[in-house]
Amino acid sequence: MSRILLRRVAGGVLLFLALLLTPAVAVAGFLATAFVTASVPVLVIAGLVCGALAGGLLGRAAFALFGLARRPARRASAFLTVGLTAAVAVLAAVTVLDPMPTTTAVPAPPGVRFWNLPTGSRIAYVHAPATGKARPTPVIFLHGGPGTPGEGVPTGGRELAADGFDVYSYDQLGAGRSTRLRDITGYTVARQVADLEAIRHTLGADQIILVGQSWGGSLTAQYLAAHGEHVAKAVFTSPGALWGRQYPGSKAGEPWHRLSATQKARLDRLNSAPRIIAASLLLRINPGAAHALVGDREVDHWMHEAALQGKDSTSCQDAPPATAHDNPQGFYSNQMTVKDFEKLPDPRPRLRTLRIPSLIMRGECDFIKPAVTAEYQHTLTGSELVTVKGAGHSISGDQPRRYTALLRAFLLDGPLPTGTG
């Protein structure tokens, strides 16, 4: 009697394990298959087959322990397998396979044009033409992120155009209205540098002036290391890490430290979306599979919603809310470029050999660690570091007048204005 009872208990345990492990084994099969293919239908079928095998084997063993004859045990196991597989399929359909909201395509605002570069990139840009006596060296603004473009001519751009500079600002590859790549492994720092060099050639300029914000500062440094002879001056505004391997992930600074309870709850919901979790896992295994599962319009919209939660958390405590814009962000450009950036060799030895006038601006409330910003001053010979009071990570947004005054003074070879810290 006790032996029969033990067998039935063991059978019940196996049935419970079948219910528990079938979805887990299905997920494992889904992810494991991504090592060899990016086809979503194949991934789904492989996951369901693995789940069915696990559920079927455990169920058959359980029913045998219950004392069923071989044929009834097989029949019961088949019913269990079909039921569990159907349940997993339904669960996948309403979670991982259920499309998220997408970015609504809107016409480009007036003034947006496009460069078709020899690199294969179609780059959206805006241009503030020089007025008065034109200067030979154009100014190019580089946005942050990677993958987080601005909209329109940046702060200070109109004033620089009035000073005689041709001013350009563009959406980097994979962001804004610029090209999205089919093969997302093509989002590399080298490609971004190549695009910028192609832009210089397109403008017909022997030298350019670069103004890099956040990641744009990191990109400016990479361009300097590769093509320093073609840079007349460089401005680094709240720059990100100079060397990605030194500050991987959020080691350079954490931008999400001042969220309200509502914003944090919303961000947590966004981060816990099953489809995003699946895409993040697949990015580590097979980026092509992640892109096949969750397309650009979905993840770009998700990234926009996530950014909205933290758009005001990087300013000083009493700063007014920032105004959001609709220029699309680039999720895969962000993820893949950051991953590539953290593998690059140290650019500092090369940068130390350059003699390029450089201005480094840091907001007193910037979440980027002071040591990260100071690295630019220590590396770039003759550079000057200025701390701007009342500004966070976006100096141009928090203190536009001070930012513009510093920018103009530096580019016009005047004394830097005081009162900035």
Side-chain angles (χ1 to χ4, degrees):
M1 189 68 163
S2 59
R3 183 177 296 179
I4 294 174
L5 180 60
L6 286 174
R7 287 171 61 88
R8 289 180 178 178
V9 169
V13 170
L14 287 180
L15 278 181
F16 177 76
L17 286 176
L19 294 171
L20 195 65
L21 292 181
T22 297
V25 173
V27 170
F30 178 89
L31 294 175
T33 308
F35 281 100
V36 295
T37 182
S39 171
V40 175
V42 173
L43 297 180
V44 172
I45 291 171
L48 292 176
V49 168
C50 289
L53 288 174
L57 291 173
L58 288 170
R60 186 171 178 179
F63 292 125
L65 288 172
F66 286 148
L68 294 181
R70 181 176 297 180
R71 183 172 294 179
R74 286 180 178 176
R75 187 179 301 113
S77 176
F79 279 117
L80 177 68
T81 300
V82 171
L84 288 175
T85 304
V88 170
V90 171
L91 181 63
V94 299
T95 55
V96 173
L97 302 179
D98 184 29
M100 299 184 298
T102 59
T103 299
T104 302
V106 295
V112 175
R113 308 180 205 175
F114 293 88
W115 288 309
N116 291 307
L117 302 179
T119 58
S121 302
R122 186 172 189 262
I123 298 296
Y125 73 97
V126 291
H127 174 212
T131 59
K133 184 179 180 180
R135 301 173 186 270
T137 310
V139 176
I140 302 177
F141 284 81
L142 303 178
H143 66 70
T148 56
E151 183 74 288
V153 177
T155 299
R158 300 291 181 191
E159 290 81 356
L160 291 177
D163 290 327
F165 294 100
D166 270 304
V167 175
Y168 297 88
S169 178
Y170 70 94
D171 299 342
Q172 294 161 27
L173 179 70
R177 299 177 181 88
S178 293
T179 300
R180 298 297 192 276
L181 296 178
R182 291 184 179 179
D183 179 5
I184 62 173
T185 61
Y187 291 125
T188 64
V189 177
R191 177 64 177 268
Q192 299 287 6
V193 169
D195 281 349
L196 181 52
E197 175 66 355
I199 289 170
R200 183 186 68 80
H201 279 285
T202 299
L203 298 179
D206 180 60
Q207 288 194 313
I208 54 180
I209 295 169
L210 296 177
V211 182
Q213 159 69 28
S214 191
W215 151 254
S218 303
L219 178 56
T220 295
Q222 290 292 321
Y223 184 84
L224 286 176
H227 305 287
E229 69 278 9
H230 293 299
V231 180
K233 290 186 176 183
V235 179
F236 300 87
T237 307
S238 305
L242 187 59
W243 183 28
R245 199 180 301 176
Q246 185 182 22
Y247 293 101
S250 60
K251 297 292 185 180
E254 177 54 64
W256 303 99
H257 65 290
R258 274 187 42 223
L259 299 181
S260 68
T262 301
Q263 290 169 331
K264 188 176 187 308
R266 171 63 174 157
L267 184 63
D268 288 343
R269 287 196 299 272
L270 288 166
N271 287 332
S272 61
R275 201 159 161 85
I276 280 294
I277 294 174
S280 298
L281 291 172
L282 288 173
L283 275 173
R284 302 178 184 182
I285 299 170
N286 184 345
H291 191 220
L293 177 67
V294 189
D296 290 297
R297 291 183 62 193
E298 282 186 65
V299 285
D300 290 356
H301 179 82
W302 177 92
M303 186 174 174
H304 176 75
E305 290 298 312
L308 286 178
Q309 309 314 307
K311 71 179 178 66
D312 300 321
S313 69
T314 62
S315 299
C316 295
Q317 192 71 42
D318 57 349
T323 302
H325 60 75
D326 294 322
N327 197 10
Q329 305 198 41
F331 176 84
Y332 288 119
S333 174
N334 174 278
Q335 297 291 300
M336 300 305 295
T337 306
V338 167
K339 182 179 179 181
D340 179 65
F341 181 56
E342 293 174 357
K343 297 178 180 178
L344 297 181
D346 189 350
R348 293 173 296 183
R350 163 62 176 157
L351 294 174
R352 290 189 183 105
T353 69
L354 303 177
R355 299 293 185 272
I356 298 170
S358 301
L359 173 64
I360 306 153
M361 297 190 219
R362 172 182 174 79
E364 67 170 340
C365 305
D366 193 0
F367 68 85
I368 297 291
K369 296 176 180 177
V372 175
T373 312
E375 191 74 54
Y376 284 82
Q377 185 182 27
H378 298 156
T379 303
L380 300 168
T381 302
S383 60
E384 186 166 1
L385 172 61
V386 175
T387 300
V388 180
K389 292 181 178 178
H393 192 59
S394 176
I395 301 174
S396 62
D398 294 337
Q399 296 293 338
R401 291 184 180 181
R402 294 180 186 179
Y403 171 80
T404 301
L406 284 165
L407 200 57
R408 293 183 65 208
F410 176 69
L411 297 189
L412 295 172
D413 298 318
L416 297 181
T418 59
T420 54

